[in-house]
Amino acid sequence: IIVDGASKDNTLKIVAQFPHIAKVISEPDKGIYDAMNKGFRSATGDIVGILNSDDFYPDNNIIAKVVKAFEKNDTDSVFGDISFVSPNNLYKTIRYYSSAKFNPEKFAYGYMPAHPSFFAKRKFYEKYGLFKTDYKIAADYEILIRLLYVNKLSYKYLPLSMVTMRAGGASNESLYSRYILNKEIVRACRENGIKTNLFKVSLKYFKKVFEYV
């Protein structure tokens, strides 16, 4: 399913070249989380995941590995790692984000599993709700808290890079964006019964240094 915000470039012409795409939605939206919700509402599969604009799977077997993990482990959700690459050199990894040490208690410290790698059974989104569109940057953080911490979905970690991302993005554009992100993370925690504060959440930046390669 492709969700496009009524872009004026060649997106729709490119999409038309791929007959296996089930549905194309091209219309104005109220932001990235509104667009993601449209995709979820259109999904009919048992398992759903999101691939953002400019991101891609590093090989053709990622989806097969995800499906195998669901079948083998009888789990509610699956996630792994992601690689950030230079926008000008897709073979140059500049940061590696590992979800290996995640557990739900770490939400209070600004740490979550890599959302672009996150797949979950569609029935849980129908039961527990979609993205909250009044968040500017951290609705993905909030929904993962709701699924993994509040409603205790089971999960399986896959020790591999599941998604390649070009460096940048809405949450990393500027110091102001990071400030908004951290404020929304604190809000997401408090709305879901996790005690935290801006100082505690900001500690994650010391650990980020070790993600750069």
Side-chain angles (χ1 to χ4, degrees):
I1 298 170
I2 302 291
V3 183
D4 169 61
S7 59
K8 303 299 182 182
D9 54 17
N10 291 322
T11 296
L12 296 181
K13 291 181 180 178
I14 294 171
V15 169
Q17 300 173 22
F18 297 90
H20 64 282
I21 292 173
K23 186 173 184 178
V24 179
I25 302 170
S26 183
E27 60 188 21
D29 55 53
K30 299 176 183 178
I32 56 175
Y33 299 118
D34 180 41
M36 291 177 183
N37 285 345
K38 290 179 182 181
F40 277 120
R41 293 189 185 103
S42 298
T44 58
D46 295 328
I47 300 166
V48 291
I50 296 171
L51 190 66
N52 295 303
S53 175
D54 270 359
D55 301 348
F56 56 92
Y57 297 124
D59 64 65
N60 292 332
N61 298 314
I62 294 297
I63 300 300
K65 292 174 182 177
V66 169
V67 172
K68 184 177 180 180
F70 272 97
E71 293 176 341
K72 184 178 180 180
N73 299 280
D74 189 28
T75 186
D76 299 328
S77 62
V78 167
F79 56 77
D81 304 338
I82 56 176
S83 298
F84 293 85
V85 297
S86 168
N88 301 317
N89 183 355
L90 302 184
Y91 297 99
K92 182 180 180 181
T93 299
I94 59 177
R95 179 185 165 204
Y96 191 87
Y97 185 102
S98 175
S99 303
K101 295 182 179 180
F102 169 79
N103 68 69
E105 298 302 321
K106 291 191 174 184
F107 280 122
Y109 296 89
Y111 184 73
M112 68 174 181
H115 183 254
S117 73
F118 185 79
F119 290 80
K121 293 180 179 178
R122 180 169 54 89
K123 65 181 181 182
F124 294 115
Y125 290 101
E126 294 175 344
K127 184 175 182 180
Y128 301 125
L130 302 179
F131 291 98
K132 293 184 177 180
T133 56
D134 58 336
Y135 279 77
K136 294 181 179 179
I137 301 177
D140 50 352
Y141 203 96
E142 191 281 330
I143 201 170
L144 288 181
I145 292 177
R146 209 175 338 131
L147 294 174
L148 299 174
Y149 180 87
V150 177
N151 293 295
K152 303 185 186 308
L153 267 64
S154 61
Y155 57 85
K156 173 64 178 177
Y157 165 70
L158 296 185
L160 74 157
S161 182
M162 293 172 59
V163 177
T164 302
M165 304 179 63
R166 290 170 175 83
S171 61
N172 294 295
E173 290 177 351
S174 66
L175 289 176
Y176 180 71
S177 293
R178 292 177 186 179
Y179 171 70
I180 296 298
L181 171 65
N182 288 339
K183 282 193 66 176
E184 290 192 341
I185 286 174
V186 172
R187 172 192 164 192
C189 287
R190 290 176 177 172
E191 286 181 351
N192 289 284
I194 299 175
K195 293 182 179 179
T196 192
N197 53 58
L198 277 174
F199 175 75
K200 197 183 236 185
V201 167
S202 297
L203 291 175
K204 67 176 183 278
Y205 292 109
F206 292 101
K207 296 181 180 180
K208 270 191 175 184
V209 173
F210 299 99
E211 297 174 2
Y212 287 88
V213 297

